[in-house]
Amino acid sequence: MKSLSYTDRIPYCSNPVAKNLLKIMDEKKTNLCFNPDVTKSSELLRLTKLVAPYICTLKTHIDVLEDFTPSVTNELKKLAKEHNFLIFEDRKFADIGNTVKLQYEKGVYQIANWADITNAHVVAGPGTIKGLEAIGKPKQRALLLLAEMSSEGNLATGSYTKNALKMAEDHSDFCIGFIAMKKISDDPKFLHLTPGVKKEIGTDKLGQKYKTPRSVIFENQSDVIIVGRGIYQAEDPAKEAKEFAKLGFNAYLERLS
Ligand code: S5P
């Protein structure tokens, strides 16, 4: 079957965030999502500014910041607008619907007010999605489900992954796709984002497993590479981000041809 371009897939999507992400990827010629998992706001903003031209999405773990104030997320929103990328808070919600509603909208971080995308585990069942949807849909937000994980020994396999796919299909106006290691659905409206990406295959000391951009995008048919340490621990993060963006996008072009 011929592979569709990101732009070709836009008409299949009902969610505005999914449409926008697909548009940005072809426009900016990048399928790179960068996660600077750093603990100081100034460092988060510095790294984001450096890589902004080369990314389609910035992935945050806002709760690891030691000096969080709402001005950080305001700054990120400004940068996102200026440089045309989306913000994805990797919150991995996993509780019952009523609790995730509160965690998504309230508390210190008020994630629903600034993150275009967030994600959830499906372990608690569809109530998690319904709770997040009640807050996120009116704000034109989007959700990714963790259908598979990159870490050694994880339990998101087999029927768990199949159930995640079914839950996304049942809520496809709000669920725009998956965190997964490979394409798990042929439906062109679903996006697949894959973490555990470095230039060489390998592992870290805590069970993270790394694949290369080409194996993720070309061989495993995923859509977006998620790169953290491979970029922010490099001597020149901007140069590295540019290179990852090129590797990821070339693998996508190879898939199209
Ligand atoms: O299965 C997963 C899902 C996620 S979202 N494995 C992951 O590593 N992640 C996230 O991707 C993780 O929380 C981290 O922020 C990023 C990988 O970072 P890196 O430094 O290993 O590239």
Side-chain angles (χ1 to χ4, degrees):
M1 198 173 77
K2 189 183 170 293
S3 193
L4 294 173
S5 72
Y6 297 134
T7 307
D8 289 339
R9 289 161 56 185
I10 293 173
Y12 294 91
C13 304
S14 58
N15 184 295
V17 179
K19 286 178 193 283
N20 202 10
L21 180 52
L22 289 164
K23 183 165 167 274
I24 291 171
M25 290 197 283
D26 270 341
E27 263 176 22
K28 280 181 83 174
K29 298 197 185 335
T30 174
N31 48 21
L32 171 63
C33 168
F34 171 53
N35 56 283
D37 294 338
V38 294
T39 58
K40 294 276 186 286
S41 302
S42 56
E43 187 60 0
L44 172 61
L45 294 171
R46 185 185 77 83
L47 286 162
T48 303
K49 280 177 200 156
L50 284 177
V51 305
Y54 314 114
I55 61 172
C56 61
T57 316
L58 178 80
K59 185 172 84 60
T60 53
H61 281 299
I62 207 70
D63 59 350
V64 306
L65 289 179
E66 294 165 348
D67 55 359
F68 173 83
T69 65
S71 78
V72 185
T73 45
N74 287 337
E75 284 301 310
L76 289 179
K77 273 204 299 197
K78 269 193 229 157
L79 287 170
K81 202 165 171 208
E82 195 181 324
H83 294 279
N84 200 22
F85 63 81
L86 300 183
I87 305 177
F88 164 20
E89 164 58 18
D90 184 3
R91 173 60 179 76
K92 298 189 178 75
F93 292 99
D95 216 319
I96 60 164
N98 188 59
T99 304
V100 297
K101 268 175 82 175
L102 294 167
Q103 291 170 324
Y104 189 24
E105 189 182 28
K106 308 287 187 189
V108 176
Y109 304 114
Q110 304 192 354
I111 294 163
N113 286 339
W114 52 269
D116 302 290
I117 303 169
T118 191
N119 56 357
H121 287 294
V122 295
V123 66
T128 309
I129 302 169
K130 287 186 186 134
L132 294 170
E133 187 171 30
I135 303 298
K137 210 169 156 196
K139 294 179 189 283
Q140 307 220 312
R141 303 304 190 199
L143 183 69
L144 296 167
L145 298 182
L146 283 121
E148 293 180 325
M149 293 196 72
S150 61
S151 43
E152 189 67 47
N154 78 79
L155 306 179
T157 60
S159 63
Y160 185 95
T161 302
K162 286 202 183 84
N163 279 316
L165 172 55
K166 169 83 173 49
M167 284 187 221
E169 284 167 351
D170 290 345
H171 300 87
S172 68
D173 285 345
F174 186 54
C175 290
I176 62 168
F178 310 96
I179 298 293
M181 298 304 108
K182 58 185 181 303
K183 182 161 94 168
I184 61 162
S185 167
D186 283 329
D187 189 328
K189 69 171 170 279
F190 286 130
L191 284 143
H192 295 78
L193 286 74
T194 302
V197 181
K198 274 199 173 174
K199 280 195 195 144
E200 268 132 42
I201 55 170
T203 55
D204 73 4
K205 289 183 183 141
L206 296 171
Q208 173 71 303
K209 291 192 289 185
Y210 289 108
K211 296 200 176 96
T212 63
R214 187 176 180 275
S215 73
V216 168
I217 301 291
F218 180 73
E219 287 161 25
N220 291 355
Q221 312 260 303
S222 186
D223 297 309
V224 175
I225 50 170
I226 300 178
V227 184
R229 283 167 283 180
I231 292 174
Y232 69 81
Q233 287 182 345
E235 224 165 86
D236 187 342
K239 183 169 160 256
E240 210 63 15
K242 191 174 176 183
E243 223 165 291
F244 269 104
K246 200 170 157 200
L247 290 169
F249 205 77
N250 281 347
Y252 155 71
L253 293 178
E254 190 181 349
R255 194 169 92 193
L256 286 184
S257 65

